[in-house]
Amino acid sequence: EGPESFPPLRNEAAVRVLQGRMKGIQGHCNSCYMDAALFSLFSCTSVLDSMLFMPFPLCDRNVQGILRDEIVNPLRRTGFVRANSVMHLREQLTDKGQCSSFTNAEKDPEEFLNLIMQQILGIEPLLKLQSGGQKEQECYCYQIFMDKQEDLVVPDVQQLVERSFLSSDLKLVEIPSCFIIQMPRFGKEYKMFSKIIPSLELDVTDLLLDSPRECCLCGDVATLECS
């Protein structure tokens, strides 16, 4: 008998299971970066469920089992994950990783994702990016970097991704199977945006390398792009 699986929460079920007190992933000892990442990746989408079940070449089955049985399944089943379950995962990451502070320090979510996806599960990179005609780069997530924009007070994710790609002269080499985006964050003292509106769909047409697009003037296939 294989491992138990629970589907991601959708629509009314998501509201019913996830709304209210004592819901979500319980924080403890600077775990917020990991709690937020895990909730985003698994609560309402199955796009990364291969992480929970696939026997990848480098896969550490113990970590995979903790992730599936102690975090994702309880989150989808009851809407709540206890802090000691996340601490169990953090202890395993400390054992497997090169860093001894996964159990007590705040980390960048990208560091956590790279460790668990690349070194522990051995998943192929999810994104292929190219900057200014240089050699393509592979990565697991994309962090939005941009200067302060006076005209953006309450931006949505679509605006932030497009402006970030533009300022870094980036293009997607291909449509990603999963596009993990890390919002701009500047610690407790300063936040670039007090709120960011989630874009429920992301249009990557203008972000794709060599993608045929129509001319905004005549409607034919465009031959030039003006940034």
Side-chain angles (χ1 to χ4, degrees):
E1 187 180 330
E4 199 171 10
S5 88
F6 292 85
L9 295 159
R10 298 278 165 83
N11 305 323
E12 293 80 12
V15 176
R16 188 180 70 248
V17 175
L18 295 172
Q19 194 175 54
R21 287 177 61 81
M22 294 300 286
K23 294 294 185 179
I25 301 177
Q26 186 179 28
H28 171 63
C29 211
N30 293 317
S31 65
C32 56
Y33 72 96
M34 190 179 292
D35 304 335
L38 291 169
F39 189 91
S40 301
L41 296 183
F42 294 110
S43 59
C44 298
T45 174
S46 60
V47 73
L48 282 171
D49 275 17
S50 59
M51 283 177 65
L52 309 175
F53 299 101
M54 291 274 288
F56 296 104
L58 305 173
C59 186
D60 184 296
R61 302 311 286 270
N62 183 33
V63 172
Q64 190 180 50
I66 294 168
L67 184 62
R68 179 186 62 237
D69 302 329
E70 295 186 31
I71 296 174
V72 177
N73 282 348
L75 180 63
R76 291 175 175 178
R77 189 174 66 241
T78 68
F80 181 68
V81 179
R82 293 166 58 95
N84 60 2
S85 297
V86 179
M87 183 55 80
H88 192 192
L89 178 65
R90 294 172 82 182
E91 288 164 355
Q92 292 298 307
L93 295 182
T94 298
D95 289 347
K96 303 293 184 299
Q98 316 299 318
C99 182
S100 61
S101 56
F102 263 101
T103 53
N104 53 33
E106 186 176 350
K107 301 280 188 192
D108 193 272
E110 190 171 7
E111 187 179 352
F112 160 59
L113 292 175
N114 285 343
L115 175 63
I116 197 164
M117 290 182 169
Q118 182 176 22
Q119 293 177 244
I120 293 177
L121 296 180
I123 298 173
E124 290 290 314
L126 302 169
L127 291 175
K128 290 183 180 176
L129 301 171
Q130 191 178 92
S131 175
Q134 304 291 312
K135 185 168 174 284
E136 69 180 52
Q137 312 156 307
E138 295 186 332
C139 52
Y140 293 89
C141 67
Y142 175 69
Q143 182 167 1
I144 289 174
F145 290 107
M146 57 194 295
D147 296 326
K148 180 71 175 168
Q149 314 255 328
E150 296 302 331
D151 63 321
L152 283 183
V153 181
V154 183
D156 59 31
V157 175
Q158 180 81 42
Q159 290 172 312
L160 293 183
V161 172
E162 286 183 350
R163 293 198 185 197
S164 178
F165 265 63
L166 182 63
S167 64
S168 303
D169 194 18
L170 276 179
K171 290 286 188 186
L172 289 166
V173 175
E174 60 191 28
I175 298 173
S177 59
C178 175
F179 195 178
I180 302 172
I181 305 165
Q182 187 178 331
M183 297 299 108
R185 53 198 280 276
F186 287 83
K188 297 172 186 167
E189 304 306 315
Y190 169 72
K191 288 185 169 56
M192 185 176 282
F193 305 106
S194 59
K195 297 181 179 69
I196 296 171
I197 300 169
S199 298
L200 300 184
E201 291 186 346
L202 201 62
D203 183 355
V204 299
T205 310
D206 292 343
L207 309 180
L208 279 171
L209 186 70
D210 299 331
S211 170
R213 307 207 303 273
E214 68 176 41
C215 171
C216 61
L217 296 178
C218 70
D220 287 343
V221 176
T223 53
L224 296 172
E225 178 180 45
C226 170
S227 62

